[in-house]
Amino acid sequence: MDYRKLGQEITELVGKKDNIARLTHCATRLRFELHDISKAETEKLKALPGVITVVNNGGQYQVVVGNEVQQVYRVITQQMGSATRSADSKSDSGKNNGPKQKQSWISRFISVISTTFTPVIPAIIGAGMIKAILAVLVLTGLVTTESQNYYILNTIADAAFYFMPILLAYGASIKFETSPILAMTVAGVLLHPGWSALMTEGKDVFFIGVPVRLTDYAGSVLPIIIVVWLMSYIERFADRVSPSMIKFFTKPMIVLLITAPLALVAIGPFGTYLNDLVAMGAEAINARASWLIPLLMGTLQPFLIVTGTAWAMTPIATSQLTKNGYEMINGPGMLASNIAQGGATLAVALKTKNKKLKQLAASSGFTAVLGITEPSLYGVTLKLKKPLIAAMIGGGVAGIYAGLTGLVRYAFVSPGLAALPAFIGSNPMNIVHAIVTCLIAFIVTFALTWIIGFEDPVDDEEEGNTNVNDDKTLSGQPVQDNTPGTKSAPTTNTNVLNQNEIRSLMIASPMQGELVHLDRVPDDVFSLGLLGKGAAIIPAKGELYAPIAGEVTAFMDSKHAVKLNGYNGEEILIHIGVDTVNLKGRHFDSSIKVGDQVQQGDLLISFDIDAIKAEGYEVITPIIIANSDRFPDIKLEKQRSVEVGATIMHLS
């Protein structure tokens, strides 16, 4: 590949070098921050040879180029000269230097909400599922609402919502680059029992002569986000004015002494007012046209996911769940949309004659009706277009029914068949309406997809293409044994294999943990196989070992990803976690370097699982066969717990 040409073309199509505010890269993609994203020519970029896809998410314009990312990155940075600096470059105050990407206020708001809520999702989903289980137990008579068992379980479920400001303070501190502990401490001030006691007394409260509005912050969303944003500036101020010898004492004191009173006196009440204003607006719309919001969500949910704006309604839905015990903003429309996506994709699976598409559509369609739609959306309906239109129509029709019947969601879970208990609550007909919504969404979408059809891609076999005959030389190296303990070594002898001589290569597990399919990885670039086929492991221990004997051909400075070229022609990319490039090497340790020869079972990287999770990142680790096209038959072992060295894949 001509990396220089590719780098020049990418630079031109993102709006030329003057449009690049900042450029970094991870193991597979270039991460641009652009001054004006409208100047980027996305479709032309996607069509470039060497570009796998383009993702615009979280304020970053990501160009996925796969294993050649470092070469392309070097070319672009050489073209840029000193105009572009890495995101690692910061001033002493902690602020990024250099120009920043110009974003609309909507994009900035959604970016803030997304980053703030992402670390909180496990807590509110877990609490939501406990709520759903409680609803089932009460419905079946196994537990009564007056029992102590119910009281304790309900307290556990309520905790995540009651202490929502503390949970959100952590995510907001990551977004605004300020101290998580101080942010959570300020949130604790808003929820302190002493504050609750003042509210109970009902007397007028003043602070240094200024009247203080008594507000209940339990379960609130916007107030703490605004407070942490303000605190990020106060902390930088405290850092500048504190003498270095006593900064350890004075900096946190100044931050708390300024931020907490401002939160109680001004920012908190203002944020609460905004929170209530938005909630009242949504409830007013629902009172006058109950079908409107579910219709819009059921129809436009795929568009919201693709554009990254699906988070916009999350604060309102969370606030409703906390105050009312149910919400009608996200859940009903998302249920209709998710089931519709599944219906469209399963219709494609039954109708297509393309074997690869049939397999992809069957698996992703099943996960979509369970509530996870990204594989279905990006892998099938968005590419085929007509099934996506059918899904939007079916989701909208089902959304109208959900709105007219007053369907609500009682717990924060991803709506789908697996989460139907989240629709069981005080209204016994609510679950019936949820089931009917699912049936309408599925039947309407399935029928529309079947009738309007789609352009069925031609199967490779029908075109007479076979990977084995097109590329019989695996690597210019003889096939060798990958059995643990075998001392393989590179050789210069060329050995061209015919189809009958090709043997199975075994890929060993590089870590201890749970072996799962790639579609479990919450990153479409990996889960949809855009970088190649493979598997993933949810690690139980923070150690990564070499799955094959070979050479280290790529190793990130952030130490979260490594690529090995095996002596039998296999090229394996291992990426620890999702978006962990942002950690810039924190919590990772390794002494390997590019060019090292390794044996299977050699320790490559050590990492701290708990610390990575504490910063809000997934640790699920994709193991990708980067040159999958050379191996027409890649078989994954059964999903299970695996030890280091256990066989996880067979390559032919």
Side-chain angles (χ1 to χ4, degrees):
M1 178 182 293
D2 188 341
Y3 301 119
R4 180 163 297 279
K5 180 181 178 182
L6 178 58
Q8 291 172 344
E9 291 175 332
I10 291 175
T11 302
E12 287 293 315
L13 293 177
V14 297
K16 300 184 178 180
K17 67 179 184 179
D18 292 338
N19 194 38
I20 302 174
R22 188 170 290 108
L23 171 62
T24 57
H25 76 91
C26 60
T28 60
R29 64 193 84 183
L30 300 163
R31 296 170 177 260
F32 291 93
E33 292 184 25
L34 304 177
H35 293 295
D36 186 355
I37 204 167
S38 65
K39 293 182 179 180
E41 300 181 61
T42 301
E43 294 307 317
K44 290 184 179 180
L45 274 167
K46 289 181 178 179
L48 279 181
V51 172
I52 297 172
T53 190
V54 176
V55 178
N56 181 21
N57 188 25
Q60 288 186 335
Y61 191 80
Q62 304 171 12
V63 180
V64 184
V65 296
N67 300 321
E68 294 78 17
V69 65
Q70 292 189 31
Q71 293 92 324
V72 180
Y73 172 79
R74 282 196 292 268
V75 170
I76 297 177
T77 52
Q78 288 171 2
Q79 294 172 356
M80 295 298 302
S82 60
T84 299
R85 300 181 60 189
S86 166
D88 294 338
S89 301
K90 293 186 178 183
S91 67
D92 293 338
S93 66
K95 293 179 71 175
N96 288 342
N97 291 323
K100 293 188 175 182
Q101 179 181 351
K102 294 179 180 178
Q103 292 180 287
S104 67
W105 68 270
I106 295 178
S107 297
R108 290 196 296 269
F109 171 76
I110 292 169
S111 177
V112 169
I113 296 301
S114 173
T115 305
T116 301
F117 268 88
T118 296
V120 179
I121 291 300
I124 56 181
I125 285 181
M129 287 307 298
I130 294 175
K131 285 276 191 182
I133 292 171
L134 268 178
V136 174
L137 292 176
V138 171
L139 186 66
T140 56
L142 296 176
V143 172
T144 64
T145 55
E146 292 79 19
S147 69
Q148 292 183 350
N149 291 333
Y150 178 89
Y151 182 84
I152 292 174
L153 288 175
N154 195 52
T155 299
I156 295 172
D158 280 342
F161 295 98
Y162 181 88
F163 293 105
M164 182 67 66
I166 296 179
L167 302 182
L168 293 175
Y170 174 78
S173 69
I174 294 175
K175 175 62 181 178
F176 299 122
E177 299 181 0
T178 189
S179 168
I181 295 300
L182 292 178
M184 294 166 72
T185 301
V186 173
V189 172
L190 300 179
L191 299 174
H192 195 278
W195 183 254
S196 301
L198 288 176
M199 294 182 60
T200 302
E201 291 180 7
K203 298 180 180 179
D204 293 338
V205 176
F206 295 86
F207 179 74
I208 58 174
V210 178
V212 179
R213 177 186 174 188
L214 297 175
T215 303
D216 183 7
Y217 294 104
S220 62
V221 174
L222 292 182
I224 191 60
I225 295 177
I226 299 173
V227 167
V228 175
W229 169 72
L230 177 66
M231 194 191 94
S232 67
Y233 290 96
I234 296 173
E235 184 179 24
R236 292 165 193 160
F237 165 76
D239 186 74
R240 288 196 303 271
V241 302
S242 296
S244 58
M245 291 184 62
I246 58 173
K247 183 179 293 186
F248 180 78
F249 305 101
T250 58
K251 180 179 174 180
M253 179 192 70
I254 293 172
V255 171
L256 292 177
L257 201 55
I258 297 177
T259 308
L262 280 175
L264 293 172
V265 174
I267 307 302
F270 174 71
T272 302
Y273 174 75
L274 286 181
N275 202 91
D276 293 343
L277 189 65
V278 173
M280 286 189 296
E283 290 175 2
I285 293 173
N286 190 67
R288 290 169 173 76
S290 61
W291 50 269
L292 181 58
I293 294 178
L295 164 65
L296 294 175
M297 292 297 293
T299 304
L300 301 178
Q301 184 67 16
F303 173 77
L304 298 179
I305 293 174
V306 170
T307 57
T309 55
W311 290 94
M313 295 293 186
T314 302
I316 307 174
T318 306
S319 179
Q320 285 188 338
L321 275 170
T322 302
K323 292 186 176 181
N324 304 329
Y326 60 85
E327 66 87 19
M328 75 285 289
I329 297 296
N330 273 358
M334 286 178 64
L335 177 66
S337 178
N338 290 354
I339 298 298
Q341 275 291 323
T345 309
L346 290 174
V348 170
L350 287 177
K351 194 167 186 177
T352 182
K353 296 180 180 178
N354 183 293
K355 293 180 180 178
K356 291 182 180 179
L357 179 58
K358 184 180 290 290
Q359 182 179 4
L360 173 63
S363 60
S364 60
F366 177 72
T367 58
V369 295
L370 293 180
I372 308 299
T373 61
E374 281 80 0
S376 167
L377 176 61
Y378 289 110
V380 181
T381 59
L382 189 60
K383 290 182 177 179
L384 298 179
K385 295 182 178 61
K386 288 183 178 179
L388 177 61
I389 295 173
M392 294 175 71
I393 295 173
V397 172
I400 293 175
Y401 174 84
L404 291 175
T405 56
L407 181 65
V408 298
R409 178 174 58 164
Y410 293 101
F412 196 102
V413 291
S414 181
L417 296 183
L420 279 178
F423 292 86
I424 299 175
S426 55
N427 178 8
M429 286 300 295
N430 196 72
I431 183 62
V432 176
H433 294 318
I435 294 172
V436 174
T437 298
C438 293
L439 290 173
I440 293 173
F442 189 89
I443 293 172
V444 171
T445 305
F446 190 97
L448 279 174
T449 304
W450 196 271
I451 293 170
I452 66 178
F454 51 89
E455 186 175 344
D456 200 9
V458 179
D459 202 315
D460 288 344
E461 294 182 2
E462 294 178 14
E463 294 179 341
N465 296 330
T466 60
N467 291 330
V468 173
N469 292 329
D470 287 347
D471 192 0
K472 296 178 182 177
T473 303
L474 292 181
S475 65
Q477 311 262 358
V479 174
Q480 299 176 20
D481 190 9
N482 270 340
T483 305
T486 300
K487 296 294 184 180
S488 302
T491 175
T492 57
N493 295 331
T494 301
N495 186 11
V496 180
L497 304 177
N498 62 40
Q499 185 172 355
N500 294 326
E501 292 175 320
I502 292 179
R503 290 192 284 159
S504 177
L505 305 178
M506 294 182 295
I507 307 300
S509 174
M511 54 177 56
Q512 176 186 342
E514 181 185 356
L515 176 67
V516 297
H517 292 306
L518 271 184
D519 58 15
R520 289 280 297 276
V521 181
D523 186 324
D524 297 325
V525 173
F526 292 112
S527 64
L528 299 179
L530 299 180
L531 297 175
K533 299 178 182 178
I537 293 179
I538 302 172
K541 189 175 182 181
E543 294 177 344
L544 177 72
Y545 295 85
I548 59 171
E551 178 183 350
V552 178
T553 56
F555 184 53
M556 297 290 296
D557 292 338
S558 50
K559 301 180 181 180
H560 76 290
V562 61
K563 182 170 176 284
L564 303 176
N565 282 16
Y567 301 140
N568 297 325
E570 66 274 43
E571 298 178 9
I572 299 182
L573 170 67
I574 307 173
H575 192 288
I576 301 173
V578 177
D579 286 334
T580 43
V581 64
N582 298 328
L583 293 173
K584 302 180 179 67
R586 293 195 307 277
H587 318 310
F588 293 89
D589 183 54
S590 177
S591 60
I592 63 173
K593 59 184 182 298
V594 173
D596 283 352
Q597 304 291 323
V598 298
Q599 300 298 321
Q600 181 182 316
D602 287 352
L603 179 63
L604 302 180
I605 304 171
S606 299
F607 55 100
D608 189 329
I609 293 177
D610 292 335
I612 294 171
K613 288 182 176 179
E615 295 215 32
Y617 294 92
E618 296 277 357
V619 293
I620 186 170
T621 300
I623 300 104
I624 305 296
I625 309 302
N627 57 340
S628 296
D629 57 323
R630 286 181 175 244
F631 302 97
D633 188 13
I634 299 178
K635 294 181 179 178
L636 174 65
E637 286 284 321
K638 182 180 178 182
Q639 297 184 87
R640 67 189 193 283
S641 295
V642 292
E643 298 293 331
V644 175
T647 300
I648 59 172
M649 279 185 285
H650 298 266
L651 315 183
S652 295

